[in-house]
Amino acid sequence: MAKEKEKQAPEKTASPVKRLLFIGVPVLLILLVAAGTGFYLLGALNTTGSAEARQSDTGRDKTELGPLVEMDDFVVNIVHRDSTRFLKVGITLEVRDKTSSESVKKRIPQITDSVLLLLGNRKYDDVKDLQGKMQLKADLLAKIRSLAGKGEVTNLYFTDFVVQ
């Protein structure tokens, strides 16, 4: 009778090889997919564009600084709850080349008007942290580029930034 019970009851423990196949292989696949995604997102797999990325559209190395156009400091009122605060911003524009510099200098009144309007619409909470300052910089650069022409202004630098 003991022999009959052994024949009727199937073996319930899986072999180590089957465990490895059912658990190890899916875990390994997940790790490989995660690693591949990480490399893709970090750009480690894109080696063809690295030399091109170091140079701008004019052939100048990104470490070179283009001609600079300094603008006057801007002082505007900004709102903070029930009080008024002041924002003082100094801006310097980096342009593509000397001809771009002349073209941007001709548009300084339009650029100044746009900068004053953009700064005056900000609130203290919009500019008190790094994220707000970076957003302000991006907004100013986009507006100035639209006024100066495509590719004329390559970057914008805050040379002074005071909130009081």
Side-chain angles (χ1 to χ4, degrees):
M1 233 181 52
K3 289 184 181 181
E4 287 179 15
K5 285 185 181 177
E6 285 179 13
K7 287 181 182 178
Q8 289 177 355
E11 191 174 305
K12 290 188 178 187
T13 60
S15 70
V17 174
K18 286 185 179 179
R19 261 193 225 148
L20 180 65
L21 287 175
F22 286 122
I23 296 173
V25 172
V27 168
L28 182 64
L29 285 174
I30 290 171
L31 288 174
L32 287 174
V33 168
T37 303
F39 279 122
Y40 177 75
L41 292 176
L42 293 175
L45 296 178
N46 185 11
T47 58
T48 60
S50 62
E52 296 167 3
R54 280 182 255 141
Q55 296 204 356
S56 68
D57 54 319
T58 62
R60 193 177 62 207
D61 192 358
K62 288 243 182 208
T63 58
E64 283 184 44
L65 189 63
L68 299 174
V69 177
E70 291 185 32
M71 299 183 70
D72 293 332
D73 289 346
F74 299 95
V75 180
V76 295
N77 295 332
I78 58 173
V79 178
H80 178 62
R81 296 187 183 102
D82 293 334
S83 64
T84 301
R85 291 184 175 243
F86 298 98
L87 174 64
K88 179 182 176 188
V89 178
I91 295 176
T92 298
L93 303 174
E94 180 182 358
V95 294
R96 185 179 51 185
D97 52 25
K98 291 202 184 273
T99 57
S100 298
S101 175
E102 294 304 317
S103 141
V104 167
K105 285 179 182 177
K106 289 178 184 175
R107 297 208 175 257
I108 287 293
Q110 291 173 318
I111 293 171
T112 300
D113 179 58
S114 295
V115 169
L116 287 171
L117 291 174
L118 276 171
L119 292 176
N121 272 341
R122 300 295 168 157
K123 296 178 181 165
Y124 173 74
D125 293 333
D126 296 339
V127 295
K128 70 179 179 181
D129 59 355
L130 179 62
Q131 180 66 32
K133 291 173 186 160
M134 296 303 288
Q135 182 62 47
L136 176 62
K137 182 177 181 176
D139 292 346
L140 286 169
L141 188 56
K143 185 62 177 175
I144 291 171
R145 281 181 175 163
S146 73
L147 291 171
K150 187 176 181 180
E152 299 290 326
V153 177
T154 58
N155 209 342
L156 176 143
Y157 303 103
F158 288 133
T159 55
D160 195 10
F161 201 99
V162 180
V163 179
Q164 188 176 18

